[in-house]
Amino acid sequence: MKRFLMIGVAGMGGALCRYFVGMGVGVFWGADFPLGTLIVNLSGCFVLGFFTTYLFRLTILNTDLVIAIGTGFLGAYTTFSTFSLETVRLFESGEAMLAVTYLGISFLGGNLLAWLGFTLGERRFVRKREATKEGDL
């Protein structure tokens, strides 16, 4: 039961962060291009890539907390359904080039940032493990 509650609370936090990022970007950018969703999804790809290779592998973190961050917060923060709807809306409104651009940036950027987060997380984890070994000598 505790795990479900933690996931729910973290999910609420992720959803609120997504909402505030979208609203904040919308104030400055406007509604022609879904930049808020793009920022949220790209940053979520990076953070999840980093977390899965660094923070989630640390034995000091409680398993329930790890699941709450990954599934709850990041699951609610990122949004494939909104991305899909916004892409369809761009196509429907005759903005095919914007839609294709959005698809390309989302796919390529998301995968690149997930890889970058994974790589940086792995390097950080290895450095921390090596520093711990050196400290034990």
Side-chain angles (χ1 to χ4, degrees), residues 39-56 69-70 73-75 77-78 109-110 112-121:
I39 289 170
V40 161
N41 286 339
L42 293 178
S43 63
C45 288
F46 175 80
V47 170
L48 189 59
F50 183 82
F51 273 22
T52 57
T53 55
Y54 179 61
L55 292 180
F56 291 175
I69 293 169
F73 184 85
L74 290 171
Y77 178 68
T78 59
L112 176 65
L113 287 169
W115 172 82
L116 182 61
F118 181 89
T119 301
L120 293 176

Short mmCIF file of all heavy atoms in Angstrom, two decimals, residues 39-56 69-70 73-75 77-78 109-110 112-121:
data_model
loop_
_atom_site.label_atom_id
_atom_site.label_comp_id
_atom_site.label_asym_id
_atom_site.label_seq_id
_atom_site.Cartn_x
_atom_site.Cartn_y
_atom_site.Cartn_z
N ILE A 39 9.64 20.16 -24.60
CA ILE A 39 10.60 20.36 -23.52
C ILE A 39 10.40 19.31 -22.43
O ILE A 39 11.37 18.72 -21.93
CB ILE A 39 10.49 21.79 -22.95
CG1 ILE A 39 11.03 22.79 -23.97
CG2 ILE A 39 11.22 21.91 -21.61
CD1 ILE A 39 10.76 24.24 -23.61
N VAL A 40 9.15 19.09 -22.06
CA VAL A 40 8.85 18.11 -21.02
C VAL A 40 9.32 16.72 -21.44
O VAL A 40 9.99 16.00 -20.67
CB VAL A 40 7.34 18.12 -20.70
CG1 VAL A 40 6.91 16.85 -19.99
CG2 VAL A 40 6.98 19.34 -19.88
N ASN A 41 8.97 16.30 -22.64
CA ASN A 41 9.33 14.95 -23.08
C ASN A 41 10.84 14.78 -23.27
O ASN A 41 11.40 13.74 -22.91
CB ASN A 41 8.58 14.59 -24.35
CG ASN A 41 7.13 14.28 -24.08
OD1 ASN A 41 6.74 13.96 -22.97
ND2 ASN A 41 6.31 14.39 -25.11
N LEU A 42 11.51 15.77 -23.81
CA LEU A 42 12.95 15.67 -24.00
C LEU A 42 13.68 15.65 -22.66
O LEU A 42 14.59 14.84 -22.45
CB LEU A 42 13.47 16.80 -24.88
CG LEU A 42 13.04 16.77 -26.35
CD1 LEU A 42 13.59 17.97 -27.10
CD2 LEU A 42 13.43 15.47 -27.03
N SER A 43 13.28 16.53 -21.75
CA SER A 43 13.93 16.54 -20.43
C SER A 43 13.62 15.24 -19.68
O SER A 43 14.48 14.69 -18.99
CB SER A 43 13.52 17.76 -19.62
OG SER A 43 12.13 17.76 -19.35
N GLY A 44 12.42 14.73 -19.83
CA GLY A 44 12.06 13.45 -19.20
C GLY A 44 12.89 12.30 -19.74
O GLY A 44 13.29 11.41 -18.98
N CYS A 45 13.19 12.31 -21.03
CA CYS A 45 14.04 11.27 -21.62
C CYS A 45 15.43 11.30 -21.01
O CYS A 45 16.00 10.27 -20.64
CB CYS A 45 14.15 11.46 -23.14
SG CYS A 45 12.66 11.03 -24.04
N PHE A 46 15.99 12.51 -20.88
CA PHE A 46 17.32 12.64 -20.29
C PHE A 46 17.32 12.19 -18.83
O PHE A 46 18.17 11.40 -18.41
CB PHE A 46 17.82 14.08 -20.39
CG PHE A 46 19.13 14.29 -19.68
CD1 PHE A 46 20.31 13.92 -20.29
CD2 PHE A 46 19.17 14.82 -18.40
CE1 PHE A 46 21.52 14.09 -19.64
CE2 PHE A 46 20.37 14.99 -17.74
CZ PHE A 46 21.55 14.62 -18.36
N VAL A 47 16.38 12.68 -18.06
CA VAL A 47 16.33 12.38 -16.63
C VAL A 47 16.12 10.88 -16.40
O VAL A 47 16.78 10.27 -15.55
CB VAL A 47 15.25 13.22 -15.92
CG1 VAL A 47 15.02 12.76 -14.49
CG2 VAL A 47 15.63 14.70 -15.95
N LEU A 48 15.22 10.27 -17.14
CA LEU A 48 14.99 8.84 -16.96
C LEU A 48 16.23 8.03 -17.37
O LEU A 48 16.59 7.07 -16.69
CB LEU A 48 13.77 8.37 -17.74
CG LEU A 48 13.31 6.94 -17.46
CD1 LEU A 48 12.97 6.75 -15.99
CD2 LEU A 48 12.12 6.59 -18.32
N GLY A 49 16.90 8.44 -18.44
CA GLY A 49 18.14 7.77 -18.82
C GLY A 49 19.20 7.87 -17.74
O GLY A 49 19.88 6.90 -17.42
N PHE A 50 19.32 9.05 -17.13
CA PHE A 50 20.29 9.25 -16.05
C PHE A 50 19.90 8.45 -14.81
O PHE A 50 20.72 7.75 -14.23
CB PHE A 50 20.41 10.74 -15.72
CG PHE A 50 21.44 11.03 -14.67
CD1 PHE A 50 22.77 11.13 -15.01
CD2 PHE A 50 21.08 11.21 -13.34
CE1 PHE A 50 23.74 11.40 -14.05
CE2 PHE A 50 22.02 11.48 -12.37
CZ PHE A 50 23.36 11.57 -12.72
N PHE A 51 18.65 8.57 -14.41
CA PHE A 51 18.18 7.89 -13.20
C PHE A 51 18.33 6.38 -13.29
O PHE A 51 18.72 5.75 -12.32
CB PHE A 51 16.73 8.24 -12.92
CG PHE A 51 16.54 9.50 -12.11
CD1 PHE A 51 17.52 10.47 -12.04
CD2 PHE A 51 15.37 9.70 -11.42
CE1 PHE A 51 17.34 11.62 -11.30
CE2 PHE A 51 15.18 10.85 -10.68
CZ PHE A 51 16.17 11.82 -10.62
N THR A 52 18.00 5.81 -14.43
CA THR A 52 18.04 4.35 -14.53
C THR A 52 19.46 3.80 -14.46
O THR A 52 19.65 2.64 -14.14
CB THR A 52 17.37 3.84 -15.81
OG1 THR A 52 18.00 4.43 -16.94
CG2 THR A 52 15.89 4.11 -15.81
N THR A 53 20.45 4.63 -14.76
CA THR A 53 21.82 4.13 -14.71
C THR A 53 22.60 4.64 -13.52
O THR A 53 23.65 4.09 -13.21
CB THR A 53 22.60 4.49 -15.98
OG1 THR A 53 22.53 5.89 -16.18
CG2 THR A 53 22.05 3.76 -17.17
N TYR A 54 22.12 5.64 -12.84
CA TYR A 54 22.86 6.15 -11.69
C TYR A 54 22.05 6.03 -10.40
O TYR A 54 22.32 5.17 -9.57
CB TYR A 54 23.31 7.59 -11.92
CG TYR A 54 24.05 8.15 -10.73
CD1 TYR A 54 25.24 7.55 -10.32
CD2 TYR A 54 23.57 9.23 -10.02
CE1 TYR A 54 25.92 8.04 -9.22
CE2 TYR A 54 24.25 9.72 -8.93
CZ TYR A 54 25.42 9.13 -8.52
OH TYR A 54 26.09 9.60 -7.43
N LEU A 55 21.08 6.86 -10.25
CA LEU A 55 20.35 6.89 -8.98
C LEU A 55 19.66 5.58 -8.66
O LEU A 55 19.64 5.15 -7.51
CB LEU A 55 19.33 8.03 -8.98
CG LEU A 55 19.90 9.43 -8.97
CD1 LEU A 55 18.79 10.46 -8.95
CD2 LEU A 55 20.82 9.64 -7.77
N PHE A 56 19.09 4.93 -9.66
CA PHE A 56 18.37 3.69 -9.40
C PHE A 56 19.30 2.55 -9.02
O PHE A 56 18.88 1.57 -8.44
CB PHE A 56 17.52 3.28 -10.60
CG PHE A 56 16.35 4.19 -10.85
CD1 PHE A 56 15.56 4.00 -11.97
CD2 PHE A 56 16.02 5.23 -10.01
CE1 PHE A 56 14.47 4.83 -12.22
CE2 PHE A 56 14.95 6.06 -10.25
CZ PHE A 56 14.17 5.86 -11.36
N ILE A 69 9.71 7.53 -8.27
CA ILE A 69 10.33 8.52 -9.14
C ILE A 69 10.16 8.13 -10.61
O ILE A 69 9.73 8.95 -11.44
CB ILE A 69 11.83 8.70 -8.81
CG1 ILE A 69 11.99 9.33 -7.43
CG2 ILE A 69 12.52 9.55 -9.88
CD1 ILE A 69 13.43 9.30 -6.92
N GLY A 70 10.50 6.89 -10.94
CA GLY A 70 10.45 6.45 -12.34
C GLY A 70 9.04 6.33 -12.88
O GLY A 70 8.70 6.91 -13.92
N PHE A 73 6.56 9.96 -10.83
CA PHE A 73 6.90 11.32 -11.24
C PHE A 73 7.18 11.41 -12.74
O PHE A 73 6.55 12.18 -13.45
CB PHE A 73 8.11 11.85 -10.46
CG PHE A 73 8.42 13.27 -10.79
CD1 PHE A 73 7.77 14.30 -10.14
CD2 PHE A 73 9.35 13.59 -11.77
CE1 PHE A 73 8.03 15.63 -10.47
CE2 PHE A 73 9.62 14.90 -12.11
CZ PHE A 73 8.95 15.93 -11.45
N LEU A 74 8.15 10.62 -13.21
CA LEU A 74 8.53 10.73 -14.63
C LEU A 74 7.45 10.21 -15.56
O LEU A 74 7.29 10.71 -16.67
CB LEU A 74 9.87 10.03 -14.87
CG LEU A 74 11.06 10.75 -14.23
CD1 LEU A 74 12.31 9.90 -14.31
CD2 LEU A 74 11.29 12.11 -14.87
N GLY A 75 6.71 9.21 -15.11
CA GLY A 75 5.60 8.71 -15.93
C GLY A 75 4.52 9.75 -16.12
O GLY A 75 3.92 9.86 -17.19
N TYR A 77 5.10 13.07 -15.64
CA TYR A 77 5.74 14.27 -16.19
C TYR A 77 5.79 14.21 -17.71
O TYR A 77 5.45 15.17 -18.40
CB TYR A 77 7.14 14.40 -15.61
CG TYR A 77 7.94 15.57 -16.13
CD1 TYR A 77 7.58 16.88 -15.83
CD2 TYR A 77 9.08 15.36 -16.91
CE1 TYR A 77 8.32 17.95 -16.31
CE2 TYR A 77 9.83 16.42 -17.38
CZ TYR A 77 9.44 17.71 -17.08
OH TYR A 77 10.17 18.77 -17.55
N THR A 78 6.21 13.09 -18.26
CA THR A 78 6.27 12.96 -19.72
C THR A 78 4.92 12.51 -20.24
O THR A 78 4.11 11.96 -19.51
CB THR A 78 7.35 11.93 -20.13
OG1 THR A 78 7.04 10.67 -19.55
CG2 THR A 78 8.73 12.38 -19.70
N GLY A 109 15.62 13.66 -30.85
CA GLY A 109 16.06 14.34 -29.63
C GLY A 109 15.82 13.51 -28.39
O GLY A 109 16.67 13.44 -27.50
N GLY A 110 14.66 12.86 -28.31
CA GLY A 110 14.35 12.03 -27.15
C GLY A 110 15.31 10.87 -27.01
O GLY A 110 15.82 10.59 -25.92
N LEU A 112 18.35 10.66 -28.37
CA LEU A 112 19.68 11.20 -28.11
C LEU A 112 19.83 11.59 -26.64
O LEU A 112 20.83 11.28 -26.00
CB LEU A 112 19.96 12.40 -29.02
CG LEU A 112 21.29 13.12 -28.79
CD1 LEU A 112 22.46 12.19 -29.15
CD2 LEU A 112 21.36 14.39 -29.62
N LEU A 113 18.84 12.27 -26.10
CA LEU A 113 18.91 12.69 -24.70
C LEU A 113 18.81 11.52 -23.74
O LEU A 113 19.46 11.52 -22.69
CB LEU A 113 17.85 13.75 -24.40
CG LEU A 113 18.17 15.11 -25.01
CD1 LEU A 113 16.97 16.03 -24.94
CD2 LEU A 113 19.38 15.73 -24.32
N ALA A 114 18.03 10.50 -24.07
CA ALA A 114 17.99 9.30 -23.23
C ALA A 114 19.37 8.63 -23.23
O ALA A 114 19.87 8.21 -22.18
CB ALA A 114 16.93 8.33 -23.73
N TRP A 115 19.99 8.54 -24.40
CA TRP A 115 21.34 7.98 -24.49
C TRP A 115 22.34 8.81 -23.69
O TRP A 115 23.18 8.28 -22.97
CB TRP A 115 21.77 7.88 -25.95
CG TRP A 115 23.22 7.49 -26.10
CD1 TRP A 115 23.75 6.24 -26.04
CD2 TRP A 115 24.31 8.39 -26.30
NE1 TRP A 115 25.12 6.31 -26.19
CE2 TRP A 115 25.49 7.61 -26.35
CE3 TRP A 115 24.41 9.78 -26.44
CZ2 TRP A 115 26.74 8.17 -26.54
CZ3 TRP A 115 25.66 10.33 -26.63
CH2 TRP A 115 26.81 9.53 -26.68
N LEU A 116 22.25 10.15 -23.84
CA LEU A 116 23.17 11.03 -23.11
C LEU A 116 22.98 10.87 -21.60
O LEU A 116 23.95 10.77 -20.85
CB LEU A 116 22.93 12.48 -23.52
CG LEU A 116 23.84 13.52 -22.89
CD1 LEU A 116 25.29 13.27 -23.27
CD2 LEU A 116 23.40 14.91 -23.33
N GLY A 117 21.73 10.84 -21.14
CA GLY A 117 21.47 10.64 -19.73
C GLY A 117 21.99 9.30 -19.25
O GLY A 117 22.61 9.19 -18.18
N PHE A 118 21.77 8.26 -20.04
CA PHE A 118 22.27 6.92 -19.72
C PHE A 118 23.79 6.93 -19.62
O PHE A 118 24.37 6.40 -18.66
CB PHE A 118 21.80 5.93 -20.79
CG PHE A 118 22.23 4.52 -20.55
CD1 PHE A 118 21.44 3.67 -19.80
CD2 PHE A 118 23.42 4.05 -21.08
CE1 PHE A 118 21.85 2.35 -19.57
CE2 PHE A 118 23.83 2.74 -20.86
CZ PHE A 118 23.03 1.90 -20.10
N THR A 119 24.46 7.54 -20.60
CA THR A 119 25.92 7.58 -20.64
C THR A 119 26.48 8.36 -19.46
O THR A 119 27.42 7.91 -18.79
CB THR A 119 26.40 8.20 -21.97
OG1 THR A 119 25.88 7.41 -23.05
CG2 THR A 119 27.91 8.26 -22.05
N LEU A 120 25.92 9.53 -19.19
CA LEU A 120 26.39 10.33 -18.06
C LEU A 120 26.12 9.63 -16.73
O LEU A 120 26.95 9.67 -15.82
CB LEU A 120 25.76 11.72 -18.08
CG LEU A 120 26.18 12.62 -19.24
CD1 LEU A 120 25.40 13.93 -19.21
CD2 LEU A 120 27.67 12.88 -19.20
N GLY A 121 24.97 9.00 -16.62
CA GLY A 121 24.66 8.25 -15.41
C GLY A 121 25.61 7.09 -15.19
O GLY A 121 26.05 6.84 -14.06
#
